[in-house]
Amino acid sequence: MTRRNYATVNPCVMCQPMGSALAFKGIENTIVLYHGSQGCSTYMRLHLAHHFREPVDIGSSALSERGAVYGGRENLKKGLRNVINRYSPKVIGVATTCLAETIGDDVPAIIREFKEEEGIGDDPEKDIIIVPVSTPSYGESHVSGYIKAVNAVVRKFTEKPEDEDKTEGTEEKSPGMKEAPEMKKATNGKINLIPVESLSPADVRELKEILAEMVGDYTFLPDISETFDAPLKEDLPKIASGGTSLSDIADMPNSRASLALGVVSKNLAVEYLEACHGVPGHNVPIPIGLSNTDRFFTELVRSLGCPIPEKYQKERGRLLDSMVDVHKYLYGVKAAVYGDPDTVFSLVTFMLELGMEPVLVATGSKSRDFEERIRLLFGEIRPELVPTVLDDIDFDTLNDMVKKCKPEILIGNSNGRYIAKAEDIPLVRVGLPIHDRVGAQRILTVGYRGAMELLDRVTNAILEATDTFTAPVQPESVADADRVPKVL
Ligand code: SF4
């Protein structure tokens, strides 16, 4: 195995503050402000805009040399005033970038000072709520930035004063809290659904449709289904409409259960809701593929005691039929799967169900649990296969490992296209970012329908690459008809 420790060459992850933007953008009337240098905000806006094909406004405190030396207090306050005047938001998510963290600005203290100066209180009904989140990119990736931002929002809108002592330092202490939470009676009958970072707006729409049919009332946080895939209007709002409503977030402690989508990354918000508000939390994999979608429905049935609607039973049957149809093309095909940890986990589950052989399984995120989870998965489904499993990799390492493992297909984000081209193997684009094709916001991978769409894309890529064609030739014209072999 080639592992380079001296430098990262083409990272396989994105900046930590970018993950926070993915979360904040799924909340009603929210604007993001990066405390740091201007280039960070420009790069991340472009990155997201190229993927979602939507305008993405992100403010910046535009730290210069002076701010880097004397501190960014005044820049941050000025940035806050500017976004308030320009966008009139209800919430401002303030995420730090590398520079602000390196100079050690105390962002929560600066925000407190700013609110006092401007007379801003803490009442979501009439005040602007400012949510700080610490996201230095040299620490972690967009995956953790997203998790921290969702957690910070949930805490901001639901925290009781006594919770502060229990879960201060959130990301480290919350998962370890073992005190039995006080289980309370559900009062609103809702389910909270909090996914990991890599769903598309189409995925969110599909999951919301399932929830609406099975649960009726639910809170999906963050909801990017419209904010990152908005209908064209004549008067473009300054902040895209949609997103999870603030009243729904404030009501999350009253739900009957929380469902965390993703089993590799921690879901701090779900853990917090359980530890401090007694809302039982359950983790299920992202519902990509047959068994993961089955688990998602099973968990809903268990939490709600309601039957699975016939529509989804039929969709499941169609997926099974499609799997049988393509088995001859996919069985034994060697694949390399890479991307965000939970997306890769669910994709690999599906590849194994299809009879494929994921020989290389990789993520750019640092993850203590990733390898163990993947090996357990192989042990359950195909114990005879021994894949190469890597976390914290860059594309340079991925390139070396693709040469070594010799997959016949790549499945991951569009940054793997150079490897696919060099090795002359197809790439099926899944995850984030997808910059070299249109339609990333409409790619559906979750649920039985998403599985069928993914299965078609993978199979057709294999057929295209291998020039396999076993169906009877269809005549396109009378002249062609003469060339079609006659059935006697
Ligand atoms: S790595 Fe740090 S400095 Fe560079 S764009 Fe990301 S947040 Fe900004």
Side-chain angles (χ1 to χ4, degrees), residues 193-197 199 207 220 259-263 265 267 270 282-287 296 342 446:
L193 190 76
I194 307 182
V196 288
E197 70 293 334
L199 297 185
L207 292 170
F220 197 111
L259 218 53
L261 289 195
V263 289
S265 299
N267 196 312
V270 168
H282 310 283
N283 286 69
V284 290
I286 305 175
F296 176 66
D342 273 293
V446 302

Side-chain angles (χ1 to χ4, degrees), residues 15-259:
C15 288
Q16 191 167 201
M18 189 181 304
S20 75
L22 283 170
F24 285 130
K25 285 279 178 187
I27 295 157
E28 173 191 31
N29 218 332
T30 296
I31 188 83
V32 187
L33 173 68
Y34 286 152
H35 183 34
S37 46
Q38 206 164 345
C40 303
S41 135
T42 307
Y43 145 59
M44 288 180 243
R45 280 177 47 229
L46 285 175
H47 216 66
L48 294 173
H50 283 166
H51 177 82
F52 291 107
R53 311 278 165 173
E54 289 289 330
V56 178
D57 285 13
I58 294 177
S60 169
S61 61
L63 279 183
S64 59
E65 295 90 334
R66 188 181 163 76
V69 174
Y70 296 107
R73 176 181 306 258
E74 292 314 314
N75 284 59
L76 179 52
K77 289 181 183 174
K78 198 169 170 186
L80 286 166
R81 263 180 228 113
N82 281 344
V83 293
I84 290 171
N85 291 337
R86 189 173 283 262
Y87 293 94
S88 309
K90 283 187 180 173
V91 178
I92 306 173
V94 178
T96 50
T97 66
C98 301
L99 178 57
E101 291 286 342
T102 305
I103 63 177
D105 271 352
D106 185 347
V107 174
I110 298 172
I111 291 173
R112 274 197 299 276
E113 211 174 280
F114 173 79
K115 284 168 62 181
E116 271 171 35
E117 288 167 10
E118 301 291 323
I120 299 174
D122 284 317
D123 182 352
E125 293 292 318
K126 54 182 195 311
D127 292 311
I128 296 165
I129 301 300
I130 305 175
V131 186
V133 54
S134 166
T135 47
S137 224
Y138 45 76
E140 292 168 271
S141 69
H142 67 287
V143 175
S144 52
Y146 172 96
I147 293 167
K148 285 181 186 176
V150 174
N151 185 41
V153 168
V154 171
R155 291 173 65 102
K156 189 76 186 172
F157 283 89
T158 65
E159 199 163 51
K160 299 170 285 181
E162 62 269 26
D163 295 342
E164 279 183 30
D165 302 334
K166 281 204 246 173
T167 56
E168 198 61 44
T170 59
E171 53 269 24
E172 292 311 319
K173 289 187 185 171
S174 175
M177 287 186 307
K178 291 291 177 212
E179 316 117 62
E182 193 189 316
M183 290 299 165
K184 48 118 189 74
K185 260 191 154 176
T187 54
N188 66 14
K190 290 186 190 174
I191 288 273
N192 302 323
L193 190 76
I194 307 182
V196 288
E197 70 293 334
S198 38
L199 297 185
S200 70
D203 287 333
V204 175
R205 280 194 288 273
E206 177 75 7
L207 292 170
K208 282 173 65 178
E209 199 178 310
I210 294 171
L211 288 172
E213 290 194 27
M214 286 195 63
V215 189
D217 212 356
Y218 59 88
T219 297
F220 197 111
L221 177 75
D223 179 359
I224 58 163
S225 59
E226 283 197 36
T227 53
F228 273 135
D229 190 14
L232 189 64
K233 288 183 190 163
E234 268 192 20
D235 296 322
L236 204 62
K238 284 184 179 160
I239 298 178
S241 356
T244 314
S245 78
L246 306 186
S247 55
D248 278 351
I249 300 172
D251 199 26
M252 287 175 98
N254 300 318
S255 295
R256 63 166 86 180
S258 302
L259 218 53

